[in-house]
């Protein structure tokens, strides 16, 4: 079988990538448009980025979105890692099926249902909607994604390393922090990045659970788009794309370096073992 791409495959790839990324490319290009008309090119300009710097509504919404994303991703990573540990380590226990189903429910639950149920919960317990309700809502629906990512890594983790540390007198918590966590750290970091990206992207759940002073950037963009697309929306969307792309790039480089370091350490350990056996 030849490894060369056929004309059909090339055309399919071009059409597929164009369908996915051409709208994003056009959005980025027109964010540098000097014209006030979104679809008419008037020359290269940074005027809309300068105007965006003075738009207090967009800046406040962006600050709220970043705070919600960082806090909710951190909470979701902690809770998701604990849930993954319970599912991967403790085998069959009473209530496992229910716990597993509840942990994975947000993966398949429509966002409208999740947002409505959280809204009813906050109203029932008389919890005023605002920054923390949005943060808790984002933690709830992104925690399951972290659990899935971390659990897939824990399934292949060699528990003999952790057991050896405990046999040498290391407490379970310390063994987890010093032995297990460094090994599964790439999966934990990937889970955090996924939760952060989902938080930045969410509109539906935030619309149900937000309150005064807790308008996120997707909500602000959506409310502005309903009145008409402006070049400032292209600019803030481009910045959001750049933030997400930079985060993904940094995470990818970090994971690759950690994997290369792990492989190097394994080679050094194997070489030391061979030299010990030879001696």
């Amino acid at each position: 079988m030849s490894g060369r791409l056929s004309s059909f495959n090339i055309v399919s790839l071009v059409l597929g990538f164009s369908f996915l990324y051409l709208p994003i490319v056009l959005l980025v290009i027109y964010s540098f448009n000097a014209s006030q008309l979104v679809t008419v090119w008037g020359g290269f300009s940074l005027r809309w980025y300068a105007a965006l710097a003075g738009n207090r509504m967009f800046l406040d919404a962006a600050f709220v979105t970043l705070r919600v994303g960082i806090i909710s991703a951190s909470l979701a990573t902690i809770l998701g890692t604990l849930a993954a540990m319970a599912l991967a380590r403790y085998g069959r226990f009473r209530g496992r099926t229910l716990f597993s189903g509840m942990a994975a429910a947000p993966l398949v639950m429509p966002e409208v249902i999740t947002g409505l149920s959280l809204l009813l919960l906050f109203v029932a317990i008389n919890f005023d909607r605002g920054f923390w309700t949005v943060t808790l809502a984002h933690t709830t629906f992104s925690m399951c994604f972290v659990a899935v990512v971390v659990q897939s890594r824990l399934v292949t983790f060699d528990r003999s390393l952790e057991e050896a540390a405990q046999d040498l007198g290391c407490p379970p918590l310390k063994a987890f922090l010093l032995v297990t966590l460094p090994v599964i750290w790439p999966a934990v970091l990937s889970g955090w990045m996924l939760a952060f990206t989902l938080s930045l992207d969410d509109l539906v759940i935030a619309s149900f659970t937000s309150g005064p002073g807790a308008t996120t950037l997707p909500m602000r963009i959506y409310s502005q788009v309903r009145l008409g697309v402006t070049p400032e929306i292209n600019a803030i969307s481009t910045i959001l794309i750049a933030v997400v792309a930079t985060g993904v790039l940094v995470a990818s480089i970090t994971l690759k370096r950690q994997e290369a370091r792990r492989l190097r350490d394994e080679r050094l350990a194997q070489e030391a073992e061979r030299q010990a056996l030879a001696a």
Side-chain angles (χ1 to χ4, degrees):
M1 182 180 294
S2 175
R4 298 176 58 184
L5 289 175
S6 65
S7 299
F8 175 78
N9 291 336
I10 294 175
V11 173
S12 300
L13 287 174
V14 171
L15 292 178
F17 282 113
S18 298
F19 177 78
L20 291 174
Y21 296 109
L22 185 59
I24 298 177
V25 172
L26 291 176
L27 183 147
V28 174
I29 292 175
Y30 277 98
S31 69
F32 299 99
N33 186 12
S35 173
Q36 292 185 355
L37 300 177
V38 179
T39 58
V40 178
W41 182 256
F44 181 85
S45 175
L46 297 175
R47 61 177 294 192
W48 303 115
Y49 288 91
L52 186 62
N55 192 321
R56 197 64 194 174
M57 292 189 302
F58 274 124
L59 293 179
D60 290 342
F63 183 61
V64 170
T65 301
L66 288 176
R67 286 195 299 154
V68 169
I70 292 173
I71 296 175
S72 65
S74 300
L75 293 175
T77 301
I78 295 173
L79 297 175
T81 301
L82 294 176
M85 289 284 294
L87 294 173
R89 290 291 182 85
Y90 300 109
R92 304 294 301 179
F93 56 87
R94 181 174 298 179
R96 173 187 170 86
T97 302
L98 178 61
F99 178 76
S100 178
M102 292 179 65
L107 286 170
V108 296
M109 189 76 66
E111 290 188 346
V112 173
I113 302 301
T114 303
L116 180 60
S117 61
L118 289 171
L119 171 61
L120 295 176
L121 172 65
F122 294 140
V123 171
I125 64 177
N126 198 23
F127 194 172
D128 293 335
R129 285 180 293 164
F131 173 82
W132 286 110
T133 54
V134 178
T135 302
L136 293 175
H138 284 189
T139 301
T140 300
F141 84 86
S142 61
M143 179 183 67
C144 60
F145 293 91
V146 179
V148 170
V149 173
V150 176
Q151 184 182 0
S152 64
R153 181 63 184 89
L154 285 171
V155 169
T156 60
F157 176 73
D158 186 4
R159 292 195 62 184
S160 62
L161 299 175
E162 189 175 299
E163 292 172 354
Q166 294 181 13
D167 290 340
L168 294 174
C170 189
L173 178 60
K174 190 174 182 180
F176 172 78
L177 294 176
L178 297 180
V179 179
T180 307
L181 186 59
V183 176
I184 67 172
W185 178 248
V188 175
L189 180 60
S190 299
W192 189 93
M193 286 299 304
L194 180 59
F196 180 72
T197 304
L198 291 171
S199 178
L200 291 183
D201 179 64
D202 176 67
L203 170 64
V204 177
I205 295 178
S207 299
F208 278 97
T209 58
S210 65
T215 302
T216 62
L217 190 57
M219 294 174 59
R220 179 63 63 188
I221 293 175
Y222 179 72
S223 63
Q224 292 292 324
V225 167
R226 294 179 66 183
L227 302 176
V229 179
T230 64
E232 284 182 297
I233 294 179
N234 290 341
I236 190 64
S237 299
T238 300
I239 293 175
L240 189 59
I241 292 171
V243 170
V244 174
T246 301
V248 171
L249 181 61
V250 170
S252 177
I253 293 174
T254 302
L255 294 178
K256 287 183 178 179
R257 288 183 176 179
Q258 289 182 346
E259 184 65 18
R261 189 182 302 113
R262 184 184 66 82
L263 294 175
R264 183 192 61 191
D265 293 340
E266 288 182 356
R267 287 196 299 268
L268 291 176
Q270 292 174 359
E271 182 65 26
E273 185 177 356
R274 283 195 297 267
Q275 291 178 358
L277 292 175

